[in-house]
PDB file of all heavy atoms in Angstrom:
ATOM      1  N   VAL A 219     111.153 145.499 -48.628  1.00  0.00           N
ATOM      2  CA  VAL A 219     111.603 146.883 -48.475  1.00  0.00           C
ATOM      3  C   VAL A 219     112.553 147.305 -49.605  1.00  0.00           C
ATOM      4  O   VAL A 219     112.353 148.330 -50.256  1.00  0.00           O
ATOM      5  CB  VAL A 219     112.294 147.072 -47.105  1.00  0.00           C
ATOM      6  CG1 VAL A 219     113.000 148.411 -47.023  1.00  0.00           C
ATOM      7  CG2 VAL A 219     111.266 146.944 -45.983  1.00  0.00           C
ATOM      8  N   ASN A 310     107.857 140.592 -37.658  1.00  0.00           N
ATOM      9  CA  ASN A 310     108.468 139.707 -38.663  1.00  0.00           C
ATOM     10  C   ASN A 310     107.798 138.334 -38.715  1.00  0.00           C
ATOM     11  O   ASN A 310     108.058 137.483 -37.851  1.00  0.00           O
ATOM     12  CB  ASN A 310     109.962 139.541 -38.376  1.00  0.00           C
ATOM     13  CG  ASN A 310     110.752 140.757 -38.814  1.00  0.00           C
ATOM     14  OD1 ASN A 310     110.507 141.859 -38.337  1.00  0.00           O
ATOM     15  ND2 ASN A 310     111.679 140.571 -39.738  1.00  0.00           N
ATOM     16  N   SER A 328     114.260 136.403 -49.654  1.00  0.00           N
ATOM     17  CA  SER A 328     115.073 137.483 -49.075  1.00  0.00           C
ATOM     18  C   SER A 328     115.031 137.470 -47.550  1.00  0.00           C
ATOM     19  O   SER A 328     115.751 138.203 -46.904  1.00  0.00           O
ATOM     20  CB  SER A 328     114.566 138.840 -49.568  1.00  0.00           C
ATOM     21  OG  SER A 328     113.346 139.156 -48.933  1.00  0.00           O
ATOM     22  N   HIS A 329     114.166 136.638 -46.972  1.00  0.00           N
ATOM     23  CA  HIS A 329     113.993 136.679 -45.522  1.00  0.00           C
ATOM     24  C   HIS A 329     115.004 135.807 -44.784  1.00  0.00           C
ATOM     25  O   HIS A 329     115.437 134.770 -45.296  1.00  0.00           O
ATOM     26  CB  HIS A 329     112.562 136.277 -45.152  1.00  0.00           C
ATOM     27  CG  HIS A 329     111.565 137.276 -45.643  1.00  0.00           C
ATOM     28  ND1 HIS A 329     110.737 137.023 -46.708  1.00  0.00           N
ATOM     29  CD2 HIS A 329     111.314 138.541 -45.259  1.00  0.00           C
ATOM     30  CE1 HIS A 329     110.008 138.095 -46.936  1.00  0.00           C
ATOM     31  NE2 HIS A 329     110.334 139.039 -46.075  1.00  0.00           N
ATOM     32  N   LEU A 330     115.326 136.249 -43.591  1.00  0.00           N
ATOM     33  CA  LEU A 330     116.431 135.646 -42.852  1.00  0.00           C
ATOM     34  C   LEU A 330     116.267 134.135 -42.620  1.00  0.00           C
ATOM     35  O   LEU A 330     117.142 133.342 -42.991  1.00  0.00           O
ATOM     36  CB  LEU A 330     116.606 136.371 -41.506  1.00  0.00           C
ATOM     37  CG  LEU A 330     117.711 135.815 -40.618  1.00  0.00           C
ATOM     38  CD1 LEU A 330     119.076 136.014 -41.257  1.00  0.00           C
ATOM     39  CD2 LEU A 330     117.671 136.475 -39.235  1.00  0.00           C
ATOM     40  N   ILE A 331     115.177 133.735 -41.979  1.00  0.00           N
ATOM     41  CA  ILE A 331     115.079 132.325 -41.554  1.00  0.00           C
ATOM     42  C   ILE A 331     115.093 131.365 -42.755  1.00  0.00           C
ATOM     43  O   ILE A 331     115.897 130.421 -42.776  1.00  0.00           O
ATOM     44  CB  ILE A 331     113.874 132.104 -40.611  1.00  0.00           C
ATOM     45  CG1 ILE A 331     114.141 132.872 -39.292  1.00  0.00           C
ATOM     46  CG2 ILE A 331     113.640 130.611 -40.342  1.00  0.00           C
ATOM     47  CD1 ILE A 331     112.973 132.893 -38.308  1.00  0.00           C
ATOM     48  N   ILE A 333     116.405 131.774 -45.634  1.00  0.00           N
ATOM     49  CA  ILE A 333     117.737 131.777 -46.258  1.00  0.00           C
ATOM     50  C   ILE A 333     118.712 130.939 -45.421  1.00  0.00           C
ATOM     51  O   ILE A 333     119.469 130.124 -45.958  1.00  0.00           O
ATOM     52  CB  ILE A 333     118.260 133.225 -46.438  1.00  0.00           C
ATOM     53  CG1 ILE A 333     117.444 133.931 -47.524  1.00  0.00           C
ATOM     54  CG2 ILE A 333     119.740 133.222 -46.825  1.00  0.00           C
ATOM     55  CD1 ILE A 333     117.900 135.339 -47.836  1.00  0.00           C
ATOM     56  N   ILE A 345     125.389 132.104 -44.964  1.00  0.00           N
ATOM     57  CA  ILE A 345     124.455 133.209 -44.764  1.00  0.00           C
ATOM     58  C   ILE A 345     125.286 134.475 -44.574  1.00  0.00           C
ATOM     59  O   ILE A 345     126.271 134.466 -43.826  1.00  0.00           O
ATOM     60  CB  ILE A 345     123.514 132.968 -43.557  1.00  0.00           C
ATOM     61  CG1 ILE A 345     122.680 134.210 -43.226  1.00  0.00           C
ATOM     62  CG2 ILE A 345     124.263 132.526 -42.309  1.00  0.00           C
ATOM     63  CD1 ILE A 345     121.524 134.462 -44.135  1.00  0.00           C
ATOM     64  N   THR A 346     124.898 135.530 -45.260  1.00  0.00           N
ATOM     65  CA  THR A 346     125.566 136.814 -45.061  1.00  0.00           C
ATOM     66  C   THR A 346     124.798 137.597 -44.003  1.00  0.00           C
ATOM     67  O   THR A 346     123.596 137.826 -44.146  1.00  0.00           O
ATOM     68  CB  THR A 346     125.609 137.619 -46.378  1.00  0.00           C
ATOM     69  OG1 THR A 346     126.263 136.822 -47.368  1.00  0.00           O
ATOM     70  CG2 THR A 346     126.365 138.929 -46.197  1.00  0.00           C
ATOM     71  N   VAL A 347     125.490 137.962 -42.944  1.00  0.00           N
ATOM     72  CA  VAL A 347     124.886 138.773 -41.883  1.00  0.00           C
ATOM     73  C   VAL A 347     125.031 140.236 -42.291  1.00  0.00           C
ATOM     74  O   VAL A 347     126.153 140.719 -42.486  1.00  0.00           O
ATOM     75  CB  VAL A 347     125.592 138.515 -40.532  1.00  0.00           C
ATOM     76  CG1 VAL A 347     125.036 139.431 -39.448  1.00  0.00           C
ATOM     77  CG2 VAL A 347     125.450 137.055 -40.135  1.00  0.00           C
ATOM     78  N   PHE A 348     123.906 140.908 -42.422  1.00  0.00           N
ATOM     79  CA  PHE A 348     123.950 142.296 -42.886  1.00  0.00           C
ATOM     80  C   PHE A 348     124.311 143.251 -41.746  1.00  0.00           C
ATOM     81  O   PHE A 348     123.454 143.890 -41.160  1.00  0.00           O
ATOM     82  CB  PHE A 348     122.605 142.679 -43.505  1.00  0.00           C
ATOM     83  CG  PHE A 348     122.242 141.906 -44.750  1.00  0.00           C
ATOM     84  CD1 PHE A 348     120.912 141.621 -45.052  1.00  0.00           C
ATOM     85  CD2 PHE A 348     123.227 141.463 -45.632  1.00  0.00           C
ATOM     86  CE1 PHE A 348     120.578 140.912 -46.201  1.00  0.00           C
ATOM     87  CE2 PHE A 348     122.890 140.753 -46.786  1.00  0.00           C
ATOM     88  CZ  PHE A 348     121.561 140.477 -47.069  1.00  0.00           C
ATOM     89  N   CYS A 359     121.156 143.073 -35.997  1.00  0.00           N
ATOM     90  CA  CYS A 359     119.817 143.665 -35.867  1.00  0.00           C
ATOM     91  C   CYS A 359     118.874 142.779 -35.062  1.00  0.00           C
ATOM     92  O   CYS A 359     118.937 141.544 -35.143  1.00  0.00           O
ATOM     93  CB  CYS A 359     119.187 143.841 -37.243  1.00  0.00           C
ATOM     94  SG  CYS A 359     119.851 145.194 -38.176  1.00  0.00           S
ATOM     95  N   ILE A 360     117.987 143.437 -34.358  1.00  0.00           N
ATOM     96  CA  ILE A 360     116.996 142.730 -33.547  1.00  0.00           C
ATOM     97  C   ILE A 360     115.609 142.920 -34.153  1.00  0.00           C
ATOM     98  O   ILE A 360     115.225 144.036 -34.515  1.00  0.00           O
ATOM     99  CB  ILE A 360     117.043 143.248 -32.097  1.00  0.00           C
ATOM    100  CG1 ILE A 360     118.382 142.836 -31.467  1.00  0.00           C
ATOM    101  CG2 ILE A 360     115.856 142.745 -31.282  1.00  0.00           C
ATOM    102  CD1 ILE A 360     118.608 143.373 -30.077  1.00  0.00           C
ATOM    103  N   ARG A 361     114.896 141.796 -34.258  1.00  0.00           N
ATOM    104  CA  ARG A 361     113.526 141.835 -34.777  1.00  0.00           C
ATOM    105  C   ARG A 361     112.627 141.024 -33.855  1.00  0.00           C
ATOM    106  O   ARG A 361     113.098 140.175 -33.081  1.00  0.00           O
ATOM    107  CB  ARG A 361     113.462 141.209 -36.193  1.00  0.00           C
ATOM    108  CG  ARG A 361     114.246 141.977 -37.246  1.00  0.00           C
ATOM    109  CD  ARG A 361     113.553 143.284 -37.611  1.00  0.00           C
ATOM    110  NE  ARG A 361     114.270 144.030 -38.633  1.00  0.00           N
ATOM    111  CZ  ARG A 361     115.223 144.928 -38.376  1.00  0.00           C
ATOM    112  NH1 ARG A 361     115.581 145.182 -37.119  1.00  0.00           N
ATOM    113  NH2 ARG A 361     115.814 145.584 -39.350  1.00  0.00           N
ATOM    114  N   TYR A 363     110.132 138.249 -34.104  1.00  0.00           N
ATOM    115  CA  TYR A 363     109.661 137.207 -35.028  1.00  0.00           C
ATOM    116  C   TYR A 363     108.376 136.604 -34.485  1.00  0.00           C
ATOM    117  O   TYR A 363     108.345 136.101 -33.361  1.00  0.00           O
ATOM    118  CB  TYR A 363     110.743 136.132 -35.216  1.00  0.00           C
ATOM    119  CG  TYR A 363     111.967 136.692 -35.911  1.00  0.00           C
ATOM    120  CD1 TYR A 363     113.012 137.261 -35.179  1.00  0.00           C
ATOM    121  CD2 TYR A 363     112.049 136.718 -37.303  1.00  0.00           C
ATOM    122  CE1 TYR A 363     114.114 137.820 -35.818  1.00  0.00           C
ATOM    123  CE2 TYR A 363     113.154 137.273 -37.949  1.00  0.00           C
ATOM    124  CZ  TYR A 363     114.180 137.821 -37.200  1.00  0.00           C
ATOM    125  OH  TYR A 363     115.262 138.382 -37.832  1.00  0.00           O
ATOM    126  N   VAL A 398     119.892 138.691 -35.198  1.00  0.00           N
ATOM    127  CA  VAL A 398     120.224 137.845 -36.356  1.00  0.00           C
ATOM    128  C   VAL A 398     121.122 136.685 -35.898  1.00  0.00           C
ATOM    129  O   VAL A 398     120.924 135.533 -36.284  1.00  0.00           O
ATOM    130  CB  VAL A 398     120.929 138.685 -37.454  1.00  0.00           C
ATOM    131  CG1 VAL A 398     121.468 137.794 -38.564  1.00  0.00           C
ATOM    132  CG2 VAL A 398     119.971 139.734 -38.024  1.00  0.00           C
ATOM    133  N   ARG A 421     122.373 146.386 -44.605  1.00  0.00           N
ATOM    134  CA  ARG A 421     121.417 146.505 -45.707  1.00  0.00           C
ATOM    135  C   ARG A 421     120.722 147.867 -45.575  1.00  0.00           C
ATOM    136  O   ARG A 421     120.191 148.173 -44.499  1.00  0.00           O
ATOM    137  CB  ARG A 421     120.401 145.356 -45.601  1.00  0.00           C
ATOM    138  CG  ARG A 421     119.437 145.274 -46.758  1.00  0.00           C
ATOM    139  CD  ARG A 421     118.585 144.009 -46.699  1.00  0.00           C
ATOM    140  NE  ARG A 421     117.690 143.978 -45.547  1.00  0.00           N
ATOM    141  CZ  ARG A 421     116.807 143.013 -45.306  1.00  0.00           C
ATOM    142  NH1 ARG A 421     116.706 141.994 -46.132  1.00  0.00           N
ATOM    143  NH2 ARG A 421     116.028 143.054 -44.258  1.00  0.00           N
ATOM    144  N   ASP A 424     117.603 149.217 -43.002  1.00  0.00           N
ATOM    145  CA  ASP A 424     117.365 148.320 -41.862  1.00  0.00           C
ATOM    146  C   ASP A 424     117.507 149.072 -40.531  1.00  0.00           C
ATOM    147  O   ASP A 424     118.615 149.450 -40.156  1.00  0.00           O
ATOM    148  CB  ASP A 424     118.400 147.180 -41.864  1.00  0.00           C
ATOM    149  CG  ASP A 424     117.888 145.911 -42.502  1.00  0.00           C
ATOM    150  OD1 ASP A 424     116.667 145.803 -42.714  1.00  0.00           O
ATOM    151  OD2 ASP A 424     118.721 145.023 -42.770  1.00  0.00           O
ATOM    152  N   PRO A 425     116.433 149.276 -39.784  1.00  0.00           N
ATOM    153  CA  PRO A 425     116.589 149.856 -38.449  1.00  0.00           C
ATOM    154  C   PRO A 425     117.240 148.830 -37.518  1.00  0.00           C
ATOM    155  O   PRO A 425     117.059 147.624 -37.711  1.00  0.00           O
ATOM    156  CB  PRO A 425     115.145 150.131 -38.007  1.00  0.00           C
ATOM    157  CG  PRO A 425     114.289 149.907 -39.211  1.00  0.00           C
ATOM    158  CD  PRO A 425     115.044 149.003 -40.125  1.00  0.00           C
ATOM    159  N   LEU A 428     113.536 146.420 -33.942  1.00  0.00           N
ATOM    160  CA  LEU A 428     112.078 146.584 -34.063  1.00  0.00           C
ATOM    161  C   LEU A 428     111.416 145.509 -33.206  1.00  0.00           C
ATOM    162  O   LEU A 428     111.461 144.327 -33.536  1.00  0.00           O
ATOM    163  CB  LEU A 428     111.628 146.419 -35.528  1.00  0.00           C
ATOM    164  CG  LEU A 428     112.129 147.465 -36.536  1.00  0.00           C
ATOM    165  CD1 LEU A 428     111.788 147.036 -37.964  1.00  0.00           C
ATOM    166  CD2 LEU A 428     111.513 148.844 -36.257  1.00  0.00           C
TER     167      LEU A 428
HETATM  168  N1  LIG B 225     119.210 139.565 -42.695  1.00  0.00           N
HETATM  169  C1  LIG B 225     120.549 139.173 -42.810  1.00  0.00           C
HETATM  170  N2  LIG B 225     120.903 138.410 -43.892  1.00  0.00           N
HETATM  171  C2  LIG B 225     120.009 138.018 -44.844  1.00  0.00           C
HETATM  172  C3  LIG B 225     118.649 138.401 -44.708  1.00  0.00           C
HETATM  173  C4  LIG B 225     118.302 139.184 -43.613  1.00  0.00           C
HETATM  174  O1  LIG B 225     121.388 139.519 -41.981  1.00  0.00           O
HETATM  175  O2  LIG B 225     120.415 137.351 -45.812  1.00  0.00           O
HETATM  176  C5  LIG B 225     118.810 140.391 -41.538  1.00  0.00           C
HETATM  177  C6  LIG B 225     118.222 141.724 -41.931  1.00  0.00           C
HETATM  178  O3  LIG B 225     119.236 142.688 -42.071  1.00  0.00           O
HETATM  179  C7  LIG B 225     117.286 142.013 -40.765  1.00  0.00           C
HETATM  180  C8  LIG B 225     116.838 140.619 -40.307  1.00  0.00           C
HETATM  181  O4  LIG B 225     117.768 139.709 -40.868  1.00  0.00           O
HETATM  182  O5  LIG B 225     117.995 142.613 -39.704  1.00  0.00           O
HETATM  183  C9  LIG B 225     115.456 140.268 -40.797  1.00  0.00           C
HETATM  184  O6  LIG B 225     115.390 140.510 -42.182  1.00  0.00           O
HETATM  185  P1  LIG B 225     114.190 139.999 -43.073  1.00  0.00           P
HETATM  186  O7  LIG B 225     114.509 140.369 -44.496  1.00  0.00           O
HETATM  187  O8  LIG B 225     113.909 138.582 -42.768  1.00  0.00           O
HETATM  188  O9  LIG B 225     112.935 140.823 -42.546  1.00  0.00           O
HETATM  189  P2  LIG B 225     112.678 142.422 -42.427  1.00  0.00           P
HETATM  190  O10 LIG B 225     113.123 142.798 -41.043  1.00  0.00           O
HETATM  191  O11 LIG B 225     113.444 143.108 -43.513  1.00  0.00           O
HETATM  192  O12 LIG B 225     111.210 142.541 -42.586  1.00  0.00           O
END
Side-chain angles (χ1 to χ4, degrees):
V219 169
N310 283 60
S328 73
H329 294 107
L330 179 65
I331 294 173
I333 290 183
I345 172 77
T346 303
V347 176
F348 296 148
C359 285
I360 293 175
R361 295 288 181 271
Y363 294 89
V398 171
R421 186 172 65 177
D424 263 346
L428 295 171

